[in-house]
Amino acid sequence: SPPNISSARLMKDRKWLWGICGAGLAVRLAAWFYFRSHTLALVTARLPDDALYYFTIARNLASGHGISFDGIHPTNGMHPLWLLIITPVFWLGLSKWGAIHAILLLQSVLDACVVWLVGSTVYKLLPGAEDRNRQSASAVAALLYALSPIVLLRGINGLETTLAALLLLLWL
């Protein structure tokens, strides 16, 4: 059945979802600021070696050495879309760690967009439910995603994780 006027109004007036996204972004920025000033903790506890592999290939690609880990031999084994997204960051003239922190900041913003999409998607997937229940389910799903420590740390890991979540939710 088509959505009634109040359901259209609830999704049009998404202040509740903006608030959850803001909270999710605040938590991600807090983690980003922490790791910005604790780079050793970032490298030893948070960044998987595959992230450093991505960063090196992106830096080499931005420097004109092609898709290469060592700057000489071609390589593969990475998500090409994520590589193309992060490569321009290395054109900005930032230090190596400055570029890595900029990429993690980009991931934080993308992950806040995922929070929005989680809430919106859950709302859209429940067309037969009462508006109040749709909004509650959407808010709970978005909050669980926004405030989950596991999701938070996986979402800013330098890998294509956040991009994959974003693309999956856009596809749904």
Side-chain angles (χ1 to χ4, degrees):
S1 74
N4 62 30
I5 293 172
S6 61
S7 115
R9 189 186 82 243
L10 273 176
M11 276 317 280
K12 190 174 183 180
D13 181 28
R14 300 178 192 186
K15 291 179 186 173
W16 56 274
L17 191 50
W18 281 112
I20 294 169
C21 288
L25 182 60
V27 170
R28 281 148 183 79
L29 290 178
W32 182 81
F33 276 112
Y34 172 80
F35 288 124
R36 177 86 173 99
S37 59
H38 296 88
T39 301
L40 183 60
L42 174 67
V43 174
T44 58
R46 287 294 13 116
L47 287 182
D49 56 350
D50 285 1
L52 300 173
Y53 181 77
Y54 265 114
F55 301 148
T56 302
I57 295 170
R59 188 176 67 245
N60 284 335
L61 182 59
S63 299
H65 299 293
I67 299 175
S68 171
F69 181 75
D70 61 6
I72 300 167
H73 303 95
T75 193
N76 60 15
M78 71 287 176
H79 191 294
L81 181 58
W82 182 240
L83 182 68
L84 291 175
I85 289 171
I86 67 172
T87 296
V89 174
F90 289 94
W91 292 333
L92 299 176
L94 302 170
S95 69
K96 177 172 60 171
W97 285 108
I100 290 171
H101 288 297
I103 291 167
L104 299 179
L105 181 60
L106 170 66
Q107 274 193 298
S108 297
V109 173
L110 287 176
D111 211 34
C113 294
V114 172
V115 172
W116 175 273
L117 289 171
V118 166
S120 297
T121 302
V122 169
Y123 190 89
K124 284 188 266 184
L125 290 174
L126 300 171
E130 290 182 30
D131 294 334
R132 191 175 23 189
N133 293 339
R134 290 173 81 187
Q135 186 177 2
S136 295
S138 300
V140 167
L143 270 171
L144 284 173
Y145 187 90
L147 302 179
S148 167
I150 293 170
V151 171
L152 168 70
L153 294 174
R154 296 275 186 243
I156 54 170
N157 62 3
L159 299 175
E160 70 278 1
T161 315
T162 303
L163 177 64
L166 183 73
L167 293 175
L168 174 66
L169 288 165
L170 286 172
W171 176 75
L172 288 176

